[in-house]
Short mmCIF file of all heavy atoms in Angstrom, two decimals:
data_model
loop_
_atom_site.label_atom_id
_atom_site.label_comp_id
_atom_site.label_asym_id
_atom_site.label_seq_id
_atom_site.Cartn_x
_atom_site.Cartn_y
_atom_site.Cartn_z
N MET A 502 -20.05 -18.05 -10.19
CA MET A 502 -18.68 -17.71 -10.61
C MET A 502 -17.74 -18.63 -9.89
O MET A 502 -17.81 -18.88 -8.68
CB MET A 502 -18.40 -16.23 -10.27
CG MET A 502 -16.99 -15.86 -10.62
SD MET A 502 -16.65 -14.19 -10.06
CE MET A 502 -16.09 -13.52 -11.61
N GLN A 503 -16.77 -19.11 -10.58
CA GLN A 503 -15.71 -19.94 -10.08
C GLN A 503 -14.61 -19.11 -9.48
O GLN A 503 -14.21 -18.06 -10.04
CB GLN A 503 -15.17 -20.86 -11.17
CG GLN A 503 -16.20 -21.78 -11.82
CD GLN A 503 -16.69 -22.80 -10.83
OE1 GLN A 503 -16.00 -23.20 -9.92
NE2 GLN A 503 -17.93 -23.25 -11.03
N LEU A 504 -14.04 -19.54 -8.32
CA LEU A 504 -12.93 -18.79 -7.70
C LEU A 504 -11.67 -18.77 -8.58
O LEU A 504 -10.89 -17.85 -8.51
CB LEU A 504 -12.62 -19.37 -6.33
CG LEU A 504 -13.63 -19.01 -5.24
CD1 LEU A 504 -13.18 -19.67 -3.93
CD2 LEU A 504 -13.76 -17.55 -5.05
N ASP A 505 -11.51 -19.77 -9.41
CA ASP A 505 -10.32 -19.80 -10.27
C ASP A 505 -10.44 -18.83 -11.44
O ASP A 505 -9.50 -18.67 -12.23
CB ASP A 505 -10.02 -21.21 -10.76
CG ASP A 505 -11.14 -21.81 -11.57
OD1 ASP A 505 -12.28 -21.31 -11.50
OD2 ASP A 505 -10.89 -22.82 -12.27
N GLN A 506 -11.57 -18.17 -11.58
CA GLN A 506 -11.78 -17.14 -12.63
C GLN A 506 -11.97 -15.76 -12.08
O GLN A 506 -12.18 -14.82 -12.80
CB GLN A 506 -13.00 -17.53 -13.50
CG GLN A 506 -12.81 -18.84 -14.19
CD GLN A 506 -14.11 -19.25 -14.92
OE1 GLN A 506 -15.18 -18.67 -14.73
NE2 GLN A 506 -14.00 -20.27 -15.74
N ALA A 507 -11.97 -15.61 -10.76
CA ALA A 507 -12.23 -14.33 -10.10
C ALA A 507 -11.09 -13.37 -10.30
O ALA A 507 -9.92 -13.74 -10.37
CB ALA A 507 -12.51 -14.54 -8.58
N SER A 508 -11.41 -12.08 -10.33
CA SER A 508 -10.44 -11.00 -10.36
C SER A 508 -10.46 -10.36 -8.94
O SER A 508 -11.45 -10.27 -8.29
CB SER A 508 -10.79 -9.94 -11.38
OG SER A 508 -10.74 -10.54 -12.68
N TYR A 509 -9.28 -9.89 -8.54
CA TYR A 509 -9.12 -9.26 -7.22
C TYR A 509 -8.60 -7.85 -7.39
O TYR A 509 -7.78 -7.58 -8.22
CB TYR A 509 -8.17 -10.12 -6.35
CG TYR A 509 -8.58 -11.53 -6.19
CD1 TYR A 509 -8.17 -12.53 -7.06
CD2 TYR A 509 -9.47 -11.87 -5.17
CE1 TYR A 509 -8.59 -13.85 -6.93
CE2 TYR A 509 -9.90 -13.16 -5.02
CZ TYR A 509 -9.45 -14.15 -5.90
OH TYR A 509 -9.89 -15.46 -5.78
N PHE A 510 -9.13 -6.96 -6.57
CA PHE A 510 -8.78 -5.53 -6.66
C PHE A 510 -8.26 -5.09 -5.30
O PHE A 510 -8.92 -5.30 -4.28
CB PHE A 510 -9.96 -4.72 -7.06
CG PHE A 510 -10.42 -4.96 -8.48
CD1 PHE A 510 -11.34 -6.00 -8.71
CD2 PHE A 510 -9.93 -4.24 -9.55
CE1 PHE A 510 -11.74 -6.29 -10.01
CE2 PHE A 510 -10.36 -4.53 -10.87
CZ PHE A 510 -11.25 -5.57 -11.08
N LEU A 511 -7.09 -4.52 -5.27
CA LEU A 511 -6.48 -4.05 -4.03
C LEU A 511 -6.11 -2.59 -4.17
O LEU A 511 -5.90 -2.08 -5.30
CB LEU A 511 -5.20 -4.82 -3.71
CG LEU A 511 -5.36 -6.37 -3.52
CD1 LEU A 511 -3.98 -6.99 -3.42
CD2 LEU A 511 -6.23 -6.64 -2.35
N SER A 512 -5.96 -1.91 -3.07
CA SER A 512 -5.47 -0.54 -3.11
C SER A 512 -4.18 -0.42 -2.30
O SER A 512 -3.91 -1.19 -1.41
CB SER A 512 -6.51 0.43 -2.49
OG SER A 512 -6.67 0.16 -1.15
N LYS A 513 -3.35 0.51 -2.73
CA LYS A 513 -2.06 0.72 -2.07
C LYS A 513 -1.82 2.22 -1.96
O LYS A 513 -2.04 2.96 -2.88
CB LYS A 513 -0.93 0.07 -2.91
CG LYS A 513 0.44 0.25 -2.30
CD LYS A 513 1.47 -0.52 -3.11
CE LYS A 513 2.87 -0.33 -2.57
NZ LYS A 513 3.12 -1.06 -1.38
N ILE A 514 -1.43 2.63 -0.78
CA ILE A 514 -1.18 4.05 -0.54
C ILE A 514 0.32 4.24 -0.25
O ILE A 514 0.87 3.51 0.58
CB ILE A 514 -2.03 4.53 0.66
CG1 ILE A 514 -3.50 4.46 0.34
CG2 ILE A 514 -1.65 5.96 1.02
CD1 ILE A 514 -4.37 4.78 1.50
N GLU A 515 0.94 5.13 -0.96
CA GLU A 515 2.34 5.49 -0.70
C GLU A 515 2.43 6.84 -0.04
O GLU A 515 1.86 7.82 -0.56
CB GLU A 515 3.13 5.47 -2.01
CG GLU A 515 4.60 5.76 -1.84
CD GLU A 515 5.36 5.78 -3.15
OE1 GLU A 515 5.10 4.90 -3.95
OE2 GLU A 515 6.18 6.63 -3.31
N LEU A 516 3.05 6.89 1.11
CA LEU A 516 3.19 8.14 1.82
C LEU A 516 4.45 8.87 1.34
O LEU A 516 5.49 8.27 1.11
CB LEU A 516 3.32 7.87 3.32
CG LEU A 516 2.09 7.18 3.98
CD1 LEU A 516 2.36 6.91 5.43
CD2 LEU A 516 0.85 7.99 3.80
N ARG A 517 4.31 10.18 1.20
CA ARG A 517 5.44 11.02 0.78
C ARG A 517 5.62 12.18 1.79
O ARG A 517 4.64 12.63 2.37
CB ARG A 517 5.23 11.59 -0.61
CG ARG A 517 5.23 10.56 -1.67
CD ARG A 517 5.16 11.19 -3.03
NE ARG A 517 5.36 10.20 -4.06
CZ ARG A 517 5.22 10.45 -5.32
NH1 ARG A 517 4.92 11.71 -5.75
NH2 ARG A 517 5.39 9.57 -6.24
N CYS A 518 6.83 12.60 1.95
CA CYS A 518 7.11 13.70 2.85
C CYS A 518 6.77 15.02 2.16
O CYS A 518 7.32 15.38 1.14
CB CYS A 518 8.60 13.65 3.22
SG CYS A 518 9.03 14.80 4.55
N GLY A 519 5.81 15.70 2.76
CA GLY A 519 5.36 17.01 2.23
C GLY A 519 6.03 18.16 2.98
O GLY A 519 6.69 17.97 4.02
N LYS A 520 5.81 19.36 2.45
CA LYS A 520 6.39 20.56 3.05
C LYS A 520 5.53 21.13 4.22
O LYS A 520 6.00 21.95 5.00
CB LYS A 520 6.63 21.60 2.01
CG LYS A 520 7.66 21.18 1.00
CD LYS A 520 7.95 22.25 -0.02
CE LYS A 520 9.00 21.77 -1.00
NZ LYS A 520 9.36 22.80 -1.96
N ALA A 521 4.25 20.73 4.25
CA ALA A 521 3.37 21.26 5.33
C ALA A 521 3.85 20.80 6.66
O ALA A 521 4.26 19.63 6.85
CB ALA A 521 1.96 20.77 5.06
N PRO A 522 3.84 21.69 7.69
CA PRO A 522 4.31 21.35 9.01
C PRO A 522 3.25 20.51 9.81
O PRO A 522 2.68 20.98 10.79
CB PRO A 522 4.56 22.69 9.65
CG PRO A 522 3.58 23.59 9.00
CD PRO A 522 3.43 23.08 7.58
N THR A 523 2.99 19.33 9.34
CA THR A 523 1.93 18.49 9.93
C THR A 523 2.41 17.79 11.23
O THR A 523 1.62 17.50 12.11
CB THR A 523 1.42 17.44 9.00
OG1 THR A 523 2.55 16.68 8.51
CG2 THR A 523 0.69 18.07 7.81
N MET A 524 3.74 17.56 11.31
CA MET A 524 4.33 16.95 12.51
C MET A 524 5.83 17.21 12.47
O MET A 524 6.36 17.70 11.49
CB MET A 524 4.02 15.43 12.57
CG MET A 524 4.52 14.66 11.41
SD MET A 524 4.14 12.89 11.48
CE MET A 524 2.47 12.83 10.93
N ALA A 525 6.53 16.87 13.56
CA ALA A 525 7.97 17.06 13.62
C ALA A 525 8.65 16.27 12.46
O ALA A 525 8.23 15.18 12.13
CB ALA A 525 8.48 16.58 14.93
N PRO A 526 9.65 16.89 11.85
CA PRO A 526 10.32 16.21 10.70
C PRO A 526 10.79 14.79 11.00
O PRO A 526 10.65 13.87 10.21
CB PRO A 526 11.49 17.13 10.38
CG PRO A 526 11.08 18.45 10.84
CD PRO A 526 10.25 18.20 12.09
N TRP A 527 11.36 14.55 12.17
CA TRP A 527 11.89 13.20 12.52
C TRP A 527 10.74 12.22 12.65
O TRP A 527 10.80 11.07 12.26
CB TRP A 527 12.73 13.22 13.77
CG TRP A 527 11.98 13.48 15.02
CD1 TRP A 527 11.72 14.72 15.57
CD2 TRP A 527 11.28 12.57 15.84
NE1 TRP A 527 10.94 14.61 16.71
CE2 TRP A 527 10.67 13.29 16.90
CE3 TRP A 527 11.14 11.18 15.82
CZ2 TRP A 527 9.90 12.65 17.89
CZ3 TRP A 527 10.37 10.56 16.83
CH2 TRP A 527 9.80 11.29 17.83
N LEU A 528 9.58 12.70 13.17
CA LEU A 528 8.43 11.86 13.35
C LEU A 528 7.79 11.56 11.98
O LEU A 528 7.31 10.45 11.74
CB LEU A 528 7.39 12.57 14.29
CG LEU A 528 6.23 11.70 14.70
CD1 LEU A 528 6.66 10.44 15.39
CD2 LEU A 528 5.31 12.57 15.64
N LYS A 529 7.82 12.50 11.12
CA LYS A 529 7.27 12.34 9.77
C LYS A 529 8.09 11.25 9.01
O LYS A 529 7.50 10.36 8.40
CB LYS A 529 7.36 13.66 9.00
CG LYS A 529 6.62 13.67 7.69
CD LYS A 529 6.76 15.02 6.98
CE LYS A 529 5.90 16.06 7.64
NZ LYS A 529 5.72 17.27 6.80
N ARG A 530 9.43 11.31 9.13
CA ARG A 530 10.28 10.31 8.50
C ARG A 530 10.04 8.93 9.09
O ARG A 530 10.00 7.94 8.35
CB ARG A 530 11.72 10.72 8.60
CG ARG A 530 12.12 11.89 7.70
CD ARG A 530 13.62 12.09 7.68
NE ARG A 530 14.25 12.26 8.96
CZ ARG A 530 14.38 13.42 9.61
NH1 ARG A 530 13.93 14.53 9.07
NH2 ARG A 530 14.98 13.48 10.78
N LEU A 531 9.88 8.85 10.40
CA LEU A 531 9.61 7.58 11.04
C LEU A 531 8.27 7.00 10.63
O LEU A 531 8.16 5.80 10.32
CB LEU A 531 9.63 7.76 12.55
CG LEU A 531 9.36 6.51 13.40
CD1 LEU A 531 10.49 5.46 13.17
CD2 LEU A 531 9.30 6.88 14.87
N PHE A 532 7.24 7.84 10.53
CA PHE A 532 5.94 7.41 10.11
C PHE A 532 5.98 6.85 8.72
O PHE A 532 5.39 5.80 8.43
CB PHE A 532 4.97 8.62 10.24
CG PHE A 532 3.51 8.26 9.90
CD1 PHE A 532 2.79 7.47 10.76
CD2 PHE A 532 2.95 8.76 8.74
CE1 PHE A 532 1.45 7.16 10.44
CE2 PHE A 532 1.66 8.46 8.43
CZ PHE A 532 0.89 7.67 9.29
N ILE A 533 6.66 7.55 7.80
CA ILE A 533 6.73 7.07 6.45
C ILE A 533 7.57 5.78 6.36
O ILE A 533 7.18 4.88 5.63
CB ILE A 533 7.36 8.16 5.53
CG1 ILE A 533 6.41 9.34 5.43
CG2 ILE A 533 7.74 7.65 4.18
CD1 ILE A 533 6.95 10.58 4.79
N ALA A 534 8.62 5.71 7.14
CA ALA A 534 9.47 4.47 7.13
C ALA A 534 8.68 3.26 7.60
O ALA A 534 8.80 2.19 7.04
CB ALA A 534 10.70 4.68 8.01
N THR A 535 7.84 3.46 8.63
CA THR A 535 7.05 2.29 9.09
C THR A 535 6.01 1.88 8.09
O THR A 535 5.58 0.67 8.13
CB THR A 535 6.37 2.61 10.46
OG1 THR A 535 5.54 3.75 10.34
CG2 THR A 535 7.43 2.84 11.52
N SER A 536 5.60 2.73 7.20
CA SER A 536 4.61 2.35 6.22
C SER A 536 5.20 1.37 5.18
O SER A 536 4.48 0.62 4.54
CB SER A 536 4.03 3.55 5.52
OG SER A 536 4.95 4.11 4.61
N TYR A 537 6.53 1.35 5.04
CA TYR A 537 7.17 0.48 4.06
C TYR A 537 7.34 -0.94 4.59
O TYR A 537 7.62 -1.86 3.83
CB TYR A 537 8.56 1.00 3.70
CG TYR A 537 8.50 2.23 2.79
CD1 TYR A 537 8.87 3.48 3.26
CD2 TYR A 537 8.02 2.10 1.50
CE1 TYR A 537 8.79 4.57 2.45
CE2 TYR A 537 7.91 3.21 0.66
CZ TYR A 537 8.31 4.45 1.16
OH TYR A 537 8.22 5.56 0.37
N ILE A 538 7.18 -1.17 5.88
CA ILE A 538 7.40 -2.53 6.41
C ILE A 538 6.08 -3.33 6.51
O ILE A 538 6.07 -4.43 7.03
CB ILE A 538 8.06 -2.50 7.82
CG1 ILE A 538 7.19 -1.76 8.81
CG2 ILE A 538 9.43 -1.92 7.72
CD1 ILE A 538 7.71 -1.82 10.25
N THR A 539 4.99 -2.82 5.95
CA THR A 539 3.76 -3.57 5.93
C THR A 539 3.86 -4.68 4.92
O THR A 539 4.56 -4.60 3.89
CB THR A 539 2.56 -2.66 5.58
OG1 THR A 539 2.77 -2.09 4.31
CG2 THR A 539 2.36 -1.61 6.64
N SER A 540 3.16 -5.76 5.14
CA SER A 540 3.22 -6.90 4.21
C SER A 540 2.39 -6.63 2.94
O SER A 540 1.48 -5.81 2.95
CB SER A 540 2.69 -8.19 4.88
OG SER A 540 1.32 -8.03 5.18
N ASP A 541 2.78 -7.29 1.87
CA ASP A 541 2.08 -7.15 0.61
C ASP A 541 0.75 -7.97 0.72
O ASP A 541 0.74 -9.15 1.06
CB ASP A 541 2.97 -7.76 -0.48
CG ASP A 541 2.32 -7.69 -1.85
OD1 ASP A 541 2.13 -6.57 -2.31
OD2 ASP A 541 2.02 -8.74 -2.41
N ALA A 542 -0.39 -7.28 0.48
CA ALA A 542 -1.67 -7.89 0.66
C ALA A 542 -1.90 -9.05 -0.27
O ALA A 542 -2.45 -10.08 0.12
CB ALA A 542 -2.81 -6.84 0.47
N ALA A 543 -1.49 -8.95 -1.53
CA ALA A 543 -1.68 -10.02 -2.51
C ALA A 543 -0.92 -11.26 -2.04
O ALA A 543 -1.40 -12.41 -2.17
CB ALA A 543 -1.20 -9.57 -3.88
N GLU A 544 0.30 -11.06 -1.55
CA GLU A 544 1.09 -12.22 -1.08
C GLU A 544 0.48 -12.77 0.23
O GLU A 544 0.40 -14.00 0.39
CB GLU A 544 2.53 -11.73 -0.80
CG GLU A 544 3.44 -12.86 -0.41
CD GLU A 544 4.89 -12.37 -0.25
OE1 GLU A 544 5.30 -11.55 -1.08
OE2 GLU A 544 5.54 -12.78 0.71
N HIS A 545 0.06 -11.94 1.13
CA HIS A 545 -0.51 -12.39 2.39
C HIS A 545 -1.74 -13.25 2.18
O HIS A 545 -1.94 -14.28 2.85
CB HIS A 545 -0.91 -11.15 3.22
CG HIS A 545 -1.53 -11.54 4.51
ND1 HIS A 545 -0.84 -12.01 5.61
CD2 HIS A 545 -2.83 -11.49 4.90
CE1 HIS A 545 -1.69 -12.23 6.62
NE2 HIS A 545 -2.91 -11.95 6.19
N PHE A 546 -2.59 -12.88 1.24
CA PHE A 546 -3.82 -13.65 0.95
C PHE A 546 -3.62 -14.68 -0.13
O PHE A 546 -4.60 -15.32 -0.56
CB PHE A 546 -4.98 -12.69 0.64
CG PHE A 546 -5.40 -11.86 1.75
CD1 PHE A 546 -5.14 -10.48 1.75
CD2 PHE A 546 -6.05 -12.42 2.87
CE1 PHE A 546 -5.57 -9.69 2.85
CE2 PHE A 546 -6.46 -11.60 3.93
CZ PHE A 546 -6.20 -10.25 3.93
N SER A 547 -2.40 -14.86 -0.63
CA SER A 547 -2.06 -15.78 -1.72
C SER A 547 -2.93 -15.59 -2.96
O SER A 547 -3.49 -16.56 -3.51
CB SER A 547 -2.21 -17.24 -1.19
OG SER A 547 -1.39 -17.44 -0.10
N LEU A 548 -3.09 -14.33 -3.33
CA LEU A 548 -3.88 -14.05 -4.54
C LEU A 548 -3.03 -14.24 -5.77
O LEU A 548 -1.86 -13.97 -5.78
CB LEU A 548 -4.37 -12.59 -4.48
CG LEU A 548 -5.25 -12.20 -3.32
CD1 LEU A 548 -5.58 -10.72 -3.35
CD2 LEU A 548 -6.48 -13.02 -3.26
N PRO A 549 -3.68 -14.75 -6.86
CA PRO A 549 -2.95 -14.94 -8.11
C PRO A 549 -2.54 -13.60 -8.73
O PRO A 549 -3.38 -12.73 -8.93
CB PRO A 549 -3.91 -15.70 -8.98
CG PRO A 549 -5.26 -15.37 -8.41
CD PRO A 549 -5.06 -15.13 -6.95
N ARG A 550 -1.27 -13.42 -9.00
CA ARG A 550 -0.76 -12.16 -9.52
C ARG A 550 -1.36 -11.81 -10.91
O ARG A 550 -1.56 -10.64 -11.22
CB ARG A 550 0.75 -12.17 -9.62
CG ARG A 550 1.45 -12.19 -8.30
CD ARG A 550 1.26 -10.90 -7.59
NE ARG A 550 1.95 -10.90 -6.30
CZ ARG A 550 2.17 -9.90 -5.60
NH1 ARG A 550 1.80 -8.68 -6.00
NH2 ARG A 550 2.78 -9.97 -4.44
N ASP A 551 -1.64 -12.80 -11.70
CA ASP A 551 -2.19 -12.51 -13.04
C ASP A 551 -3.64 -12.11 -13.02
O ASP A 551 -4.18 -11.67 -14.05
CB ASP A 551 -2.00 -13.74 -13.96
CG ASP A 551 -2.68 -14.96 -13.47
OD1 ASP A 551 -2.91 -15.09 -12.26
OD2 ASP A 551 -2.99 -15.83 -14.29
N ARG A 552 -4.32 -12.19 -11.89
CA ARG A 552 -5.74 -11.79 -11.79
C ARG A 552 -5.94 -10.79 -10.67
O ARG A 552 -7.02 -10.58 -10.17
CB ARG A 552 -6.62 -13.00 -11.55
CG ARG A 552 -6.67 -13.89 -12.78
CD ARG A 552 -7.64 -15.07 -12.65
NE ARG A 552 -7.01 -16.11 -11.80
CZ ARG A 552 -7.52 -16.55 -10.67
NH1 ARG A 552 -8.68 -16.11 -10.19
NH2 ARG A 552 -6.93 -17.50 -9.98
N THR A 553 -4.82 -10.10 -10.26
CA THR A 553 -4.91 -9.12 -9.18
C THR A 553 -4.58 -7.73 -9.74
O THR A 553 -3.53 -7.56 -10.35
CB THR A 553 -3.94 -9.48 -8.05
OG1 THR A 553 -4.29 -10.78 -7.53
CG2 THR A 553 -4.07 -8.48 -6.93
N VAL A 554 -5.46 -6.79 -9.52
CA VAL A 554 -5.24 -5.41 -9.95
C VAL A 554 -4.97 -4.58 -8.70
O VAL A 554 -5.71 -4.61 -7.72
CB VAL A 554 -6.51 -4.86 -10.64
CG1 VAL A 554 -6.32 -3.38 -11.06
CG2 VAL A 554 -6.86 -5.69 -11.88
N ILE A 555 -3.82 -3.87 -8.74
CA ILE A 555 -3.46 -3.02 -7.60
C ILE A 555 -3.50 -1.56 -8.04
O ILE A 555 -2.80 -1.18 -8.98
CB ILE A 555 -2.09 -3.38 -7.05
CG1 ILE A 555 -2.08 -4.87 -6.63
CG2 ILE A 555 -1.69 -2.50 -5.87
CD1 ILE A 555 -0.72 -5.39 -6.24
N MET A 556 -4.35 -0.76 -7.39
CA MET A 556 -4.46 0.65 -7.71
C MET A 556 -3.83 1.42 -6.55
O MET A 556 -4.06 1.09 -5.38
CB MET A 556 -5.90 1.07 -7.82
CG MET A 556 -6.58 0.41 -9.02
SD MET A 556 -8.23 0.98 -9.15
CE MET A 556 -9.01 -0.45 -9.82
N GLY A 557 -3.05 2.45 -6.86
CA GLY A 557 -2.36 3.16 -5.79
C GLY A 557 -2.55 4.67 -5.89
O GLY A 557 -2.99 5.19 -6.86
N SER A 558 -2.20 5.26 -4.78
CA SER A 558 -2.22 6.72 -4.70
C SER A 558 -1.16 7.19 -3.79
O SER A 558 -0.59 6.41 -2.97
CB SER A 558 -3.61 7.23 -4.20
OG SER A 558 -3.85 6.74 -2.88
N HIS A 559 -0.78 8.47 -3.88
CA HIS A 559 0.24 9.06 -3.06
C HIS A 559 -0.37 10.07 -2.13
O HIS A 559 -1.23 10.84 -2.53
CB HIS A 559 1.30 9.80 -3.98
CG HIS A 559 1.94 8.92 -4.96
ND1 HIS A 559 2.94 8.05 -4.66
CD2 HIS A 559 1.68 8.76 -6.30
CE1 HIS A 559 3.31 7.46 -5.77
NE2 HIS A 559 2.53 7.80 -6.77
N ILE A 560 0.04 10.06 -0.88
CA ILE A 560 -0.45 11.02 0.10
C ILE A 560 0.74 11.70 0.76
O ILE A 560 1.66 11.01 1.16
CB ILE A 560 -1.28 10.30 1.18
CG1 ILE A 560 -2.55 9.68 0.55
CG2 ILE A 560 -1.65 11.29 2.31
CD1 ILE A 560 -3.41 8.97 1.54
N GLU A 561 0.73 13.02 0.77
CA GLU A 561 1.80 13.77 1.46
C GLU A 561 1.43 13.97 2.94
O GLU A 561 0.30 14.29 3.27
CB GLU A 561 1.96 15.11 0.82
CG GLU A 561 2.67 15.07 -0.49
CD GLU A 561 3.08 16.45 -1.04
OE1 GLU A 561 2.77 17.45 -0.35
OE2 GLU A 561 3.64 16.50 -2.09
N VAL A 562 2.42 13.67 3.79
CA VAL A 562 2.21 13.90 5.24
C VAL A 562 3.12 14.99 5.67
O VAL A 562 4.08 15.32 5.08
CB VAL A 562 2.42 12.64 6.08
CG1 VAL A 562 1.36 11.61 5.78
CG2 VAL A 562 3.81 12.02 5.83
#
């Protein structure tokens, strides 16, 4: 297989603020905020956007 024909699969997790008392509210907001400053994996690895599939899910904290 040639690399110029390969497909790439990535996963992305989005954190959401849930109602369960898992941690202090201010800490929960800080934890979620820091998850947004992570770099985009496709950009970091210079993957071609037209051959990259990104699957995501939501997790409540």
Side-chain angles (χ1 to χ4, degrees):
M502 178 185 233
Q503 301 292 333
L504 284 180
D505 61 342
Q506 298 173 350
S508 296
Y509 302 92
F510 295 86
L511 301 174
S512 65
K513 180 174 177 77
I514 296 173
E515 182 179 318
L516 300 177
R517 292 186 174 175
C518 189
K520 294 182 180 183
T523 54
M524 60 181 80
W527 68 270
L528 188 56
K529 191 181 285 194
R530 289 190 304 273
L531 179 63
F532 183 70
I533 291 170
T535 59
S536 73
Y537 287 110
I538 61 173
T539 59
S540 65
D541 180 65
E544 185 177 318
H545 178 77
F546 293 110
S547 301
L548 300 177
R550 292 290 180 166
D551 61 334
R552 291 184 283 122
T553 303
V554 178
I555 301 173
M556 295 182 212
S558 61
H559 302 280
I560 296 178
E561 286 189 1
V562 292

